[in-house]
Amino acid sequence: MGQPLNLGIVGCGAISAQYLRTIDRLPQVRLVAVADLDPERARAAVAAYPGVDVLGVPELMADARIDAVLNLTIPAAHAEVALLAIAAGKDVYCEKPLAATGEDARRVLEAAEAAGVRVGCAPDTVLGTGTQTARQAIDDGLIGRPVAATATMVTPGHERWHPNPDFYYVPGGGPLLDMGPYYISSLVTLLGPVTTVIGAASRTRAKRTIGSGPRQGEEIPVTVDTHVTGVLVHESGALSTLVMSFDAVATKAPNIEVHGERGSLVVPDPNHFDGEVMLTRLGDEGPRPLPVSAGYAGAGRGVGLIDLAEGREPRAGGTLAFHVLDVMESLLASAHEGRAVDVESTCERPKPVALDGLGAERQSGG
Ligand SMILES: NC(=O)c1ccc[n+]([C@@H]2O[C@H](COP(=O)([O-])OP(=O)(O)OC[C@H]3O[C@@H](n4cnc5c(N)ncnc54)[C@H](O)[C@@H]3O)[C@@H](O)[C@H]2O)c1
């Protein structure tokens, strides 16, 4: 193995602990420094990781040791932080969505191309064994020609558990922009890019009440749709039906099902790396689990960085993330305009991930 990728993290909130745990067991990645608008949060995040510097954002961007910036800020700050990293000549890997708007995301990709740096973007969950085993099954012809998929995500809303849930209810948030990246990245991985969408959307409440933490009981405004449904027409001709809701309680529908002419697959939660893939073939009495055949096994958030570290275009990549954001914005446009909307962008179906176990956890981290 060559030199590890020297990484700086910007944004040390709720999700950062998961990344820190993964990075600690990736020999290809070395965490050099972290930064947050709130330096206390940055300090607390790396308390269990000796040798990691806590810097201000400008100092981190100017740090010549750092090759790549992991951007774990809130969606409204994704583009601003990514553009700073790109201007400093660093690769950038961003939490989802790539930016709060397609316009901002386009600026990020254009700046990266001009600077000759790479852009990766969550979700990397779809590089795990769940989505990748399902993809392998489709590529092996186990369901015949794919004709359709369903994707269902129903929750009463993240304000029940997240201490600072404001960003979930402003542009860049909502069930579609928050959870859609998992589902649509998985659907594009399974069935290829989307050309047209038809959407409908609603919202139930103008305010939400924070359910935990120091701000418990505080009301926050809702300025986005909180139930979004629609149909995605894939370039292949397959049709995916999507339901994304922060307005309802629960569902027993599988997270994702893919139907082919000769079989149907139940695909595990695309917000997780693993889970059982179930196959029912024409004539079978019922579904049977498929053996794990592809993807990163034992993975955690941050495995998408491996491609950057090993010098490849990231499979959890900027072009895919931009297409997914474009699909989501087109779906909302369709809902508001009451007509089908063509999706302007496209992307290649991301390359598959061969079955690969991650190393055991190192000793230093939490
Ligand atoms: N919380 C989760 O379970 C979860 C899961 C998956 C993905 N994500 C994604 O991760 C991202 C962060 O979510 P979170 O829950 O950790 O949010 P959070 O609000 O807990 O943390 C975000 C952190 O970023 C910092 N920050 C904001 N703007 C900044 C800027 N311009 N410069 C430096 N620091 C800045 C904030 O001070 C805060 O500490 C979001 O894009 C979210 O969609 C979150």
Side-chain angles (χ1 to χ4, degrees), residues 79 97-111 318 321-322 325:
L98 181 53
T101 66
E103 207 180 308
D104 281 352
R106 187 186 298 280
R107 287 198 296 132
V108 170
L109 291 193
E110 285 175 356
F322 179 73
L325 181 55

Side-chain angles (χ1 to χ4, degrees), residues 10 19 69-75 77-82 91-100 108 118-124 305 308 316-318 321:
V10 179
Y19 279 89
V69 169
L70 174 59
N71 180 1
L72 304 182
T73 60
I74 56 171
H78 284 178
E80 173 198 327
V81 170
D91 291 332
V92 59
Y93 185 97
C94 190
E95 247 305 338
K96 49 78 193 165
L98 181 53
V108 170
R118 293 168 299 165
V119 177
C121 188
D124 51 8
L305 291 163
L308 279 183

Side-chain angles (χ1 to χ4, degrees), residues 11 17 59 65 100-101 112 120 134 162 174 212 223 250 255 260 263 268 291-293 328 335 360 366:
E59 289 74 35
R65 295 172 300 168
T101 66
H162 197 294
S212 73
T223 61
N255 297 89
V292 168
S293 63
M328 297 190 294

